[in-house]
């Protein structure tokens, strides 16, 4: 059984930050974002570029930066920036093997790119979607989207994109074990990359050509390509590429029985994997290293290396990586003659997922099991030969011991299987919770976009009514006033009537414009706008609105002010329509760390006692949605005949 793992060199398009100068770029972008030197679309572009620099160093940081770019792009309606941010966020999920999330954001990036005609990002997103399909084994779909990306790159005459597409199509044929076709596409990719001087791409193509020749059993050609790639990768400081390349070169030296050379290369590969935080590649390199150590008879070191591989496999929560490590453990136990433990390890491997094993691995399991049974039978026969003259009591004692041993072994196996089952259930639960969190985040982003679009449209219509139609009506009134000096009584009556109609139209227009977007809210802020609302209601002398506020020395963020105003407006409208109240009390208190809002009336209350979020109707749904958008907490209290009280709290994160 051979324990050797080749690592493929795929090309995620947008991977444009080289190792040289990367830290300088990262520091510059971090400083610009932290100090607020970049704003609006420039801030979004900076967030996108900075996220790329953290892809392989700090995946959590990369995800957070991309999410912030998605949020800001949605907030200001910057669709092109949103397309780029979604594509980069998809790559971040792709790198940590979260393929469902990656595919969602790639598809969103593709949709936005088509909508805005941003063909460069469209081709990139299609290419990256192909990589997800390829990793899942859907090779037909992978080839299809790769070819779609290739057509766009050819139309744009983007040679670098064409080279990347050729490279990835070649990898699909590699997975299908059609190595001659893979060679054809990798040679095309290499030719284009040499024309453009893309050293990073040239190194990747040379590595993949070496892989193809290695699988065609021509190690000399493979080694030649690897050595050419090694020279380039060392020149440009491509640590990710060096980690992959050295692992694959070591396998050839391992096959040539140059075990010391292979160990040295695995050690260098391990060092590069550690520097870039590539735990997946590190696991494979550990397994390959342990195989060489087994051949050298250095079993203690081999066990230590395998323990490290299992630690990282658990760290990345990858069942497939754990299966590979368990397979390596079984090989180690077989080499050390511990066939019983080897067989049990393979049983544990089989309990994870039968589909992970190839035919050769099943054959190895059967072979280990047979050898274990032979060894067990030999010991039993020897024992029986030594004891065949003993009395029946001794035979009975031996049978009891054997039964106890089996019971203990069965109990241990049950404990191990129960532990693994518990781990699997816990892992699935965590995955479910994470996916639900992502779903809620996406829903919140979508609602935020709808609310912002609605408020912007209200503002636009209000301004057009006020500045356009309002001016026309004022001009009409001015023109009609010229006719006031007419001698005819009938004409003067007509002029007065027209002026009255125009005055009424202007008043109605102002009311409509104010309801769409109160000018006081835009010009003066939340508190003056609420007082303006209260003055209009109080002028009717049927209901008295009383307002108290505290701590509002400066204005709140614009979107938050609009949201709070709409919540108050909807709540007051509900009270006026349904409560039959004589007084409405509105209290706002802003302490820097939080904002508290309470709206209370002395009306007839709701038909049934209500608490928390039990309010029904479209108005209440709108209030709950706006509060949730800013991570606020809402509580509603009402009893028949005792009025209604609504309490809302916004924490510091919303302010």
């Amino acid at each position: 059984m051979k324990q050797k793992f080749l690592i493929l060199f795929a090309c995620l398009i947008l991977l444009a930050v080289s190792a040289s100068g990367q830290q300088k770029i990262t520091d510059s972008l971090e400083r610009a974002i932290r100090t607020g030197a970049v704003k609006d679309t420039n801030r979004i572009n900076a967030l996108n570029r900075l996220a790329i620099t953290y892809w392989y160093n700090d995946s959590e940081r990369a995800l957070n930066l991309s999410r912030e770019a998605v949020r800001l792009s949605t907030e200001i309606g910057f669709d092109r920036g949103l397309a780029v941010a979604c594509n980069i966020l998809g790559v971040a999920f792709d790198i940590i093997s979260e393929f469902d999330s990656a595919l969602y954001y790639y598809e969103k990036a593709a949709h936005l790119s088509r909508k805005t005609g941003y063909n460069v990002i469209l081709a990139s997103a299609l290419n990256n979607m192909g990589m997800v399909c390829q990793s899942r084994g859907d090779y037909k779909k992978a080839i299809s989207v790769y070819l779609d990306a290739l057509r766009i790159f050819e139309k744009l005459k983007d040679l670098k994109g064409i080279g990347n597409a050729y490279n990835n199509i070649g990898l699909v044929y590699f997975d299908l074990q059609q190595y001659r076709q893979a060679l054809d596409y990798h040679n095309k990719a290499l030719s284009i990359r040499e024309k453009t001087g893309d050293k990073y791409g040239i190194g990747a193509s040379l590595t993949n050509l070496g892989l193809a020749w290695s699988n065609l059993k021509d190690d000399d050609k493979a080694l030649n390509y690897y050595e050419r790639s090694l020279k380039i990768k060392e020149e440009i400081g491509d640590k990710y590429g060096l980690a992959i390349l050295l692992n694959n070169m070591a396998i050839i030296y391992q096959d040539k029985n140059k075990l010391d050379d292979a160990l040295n290369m695995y050690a260098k590969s391990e060092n590069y994997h550690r520097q870039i935080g590539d735990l997946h590649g590190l696991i494979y390199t550990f397994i390959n290293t342990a195989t060489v150590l087994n051949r050298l008879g250095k079993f203690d070191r081999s066990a230590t290396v395998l323990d490290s591989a299992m630690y990282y496999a658990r760290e990345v929560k990858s069942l497939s990586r754990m299966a590979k490590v368990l397979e390596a453990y079984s090989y180690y136990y077989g080499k050390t003659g511990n066939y019983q433990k080897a067989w049990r390890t393979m049983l544990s491997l089989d309990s994870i997922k039968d589909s992970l094993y190839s035919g050769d691995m099943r054959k190895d399991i059967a072979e280990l099991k047979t050898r274990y049974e032979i060894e067990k039978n030999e010991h039993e026969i020897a024992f029986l030969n030594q004891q065949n003259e003993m009395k029946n009591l001794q035979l009975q004692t031996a049978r009891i011991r054997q039964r106890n041993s089996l019971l203990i072994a069965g109990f241990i196996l049950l404990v191990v299987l129960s532990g693994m089952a518990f781990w699997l259930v816990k892992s699935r639960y965590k995955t479910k919770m994470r996916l639900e969190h992502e779903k809620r985040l996406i829903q919140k982003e979508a609602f935020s976009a709808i609310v912002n679009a609605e408020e912007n449209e209200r503002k636009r219509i209000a301004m057009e009514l006020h500045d356009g139609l309002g001016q026309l009506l004022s001009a009409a009134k001015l023109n009609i006033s010229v006719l006031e000096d007419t001698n005819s009584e009938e004409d003067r009556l007509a002029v007065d009537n027209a002026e009255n109609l125009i005055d009424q139209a202007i008043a109605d227009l102002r009311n409509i414009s104010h309801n769409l977007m109160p000018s006081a809210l835009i010009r003066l802020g939340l508190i003056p706008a609420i007082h303006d609302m209260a003055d209009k209601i109080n002028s009717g002398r049927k209901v008295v609105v009383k307002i108290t506020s505290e701590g509002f020395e400066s204005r709140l963020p614009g979107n938050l002010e609009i949201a709070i105003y709409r919540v108050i407006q909807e709540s007051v409208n509900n009270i006026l329509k349904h409560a039959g109240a004589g007084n409405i009390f509105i209290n706002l208190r802003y302490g820097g760390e939080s904002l508290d809002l309470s709206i209370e009336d002395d009306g007839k209350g709701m038909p049934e006692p209500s608490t928390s979020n039990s309010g029904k109707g479209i108005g209440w749904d709108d209030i709950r949605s706006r509060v949730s958008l800013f991570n606020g907490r809402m509580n509603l209290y009402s009893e028949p005949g005792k009025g209604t009280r609504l309490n809302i709290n916004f924490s510091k994160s919303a302010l």
Side-chain angles (χ1 to χ4, degrees), residues 28 119 211 288 334 363 366 453 483 497 536 538 552 576 599:
S28 176
N119 287 330
L211 281 171
N288 291 338
K363 181 179 177 182
L483 303 175
N497 188 43
K536 287 181 171 60
N538 293 339
F552 288 86
L576 294 175
I599 304 170

Side-chain angles (χ1 to χ4, degrees), residues 221-232:
K221 273 192 176 179
L223 199 56
N224 176 264
Y225 280 110
Y226 284 157
E227 288 172 348
R228 289 169 59 190
S229 178
L230 179 63
K231 183 178 179 181
I232 293 173

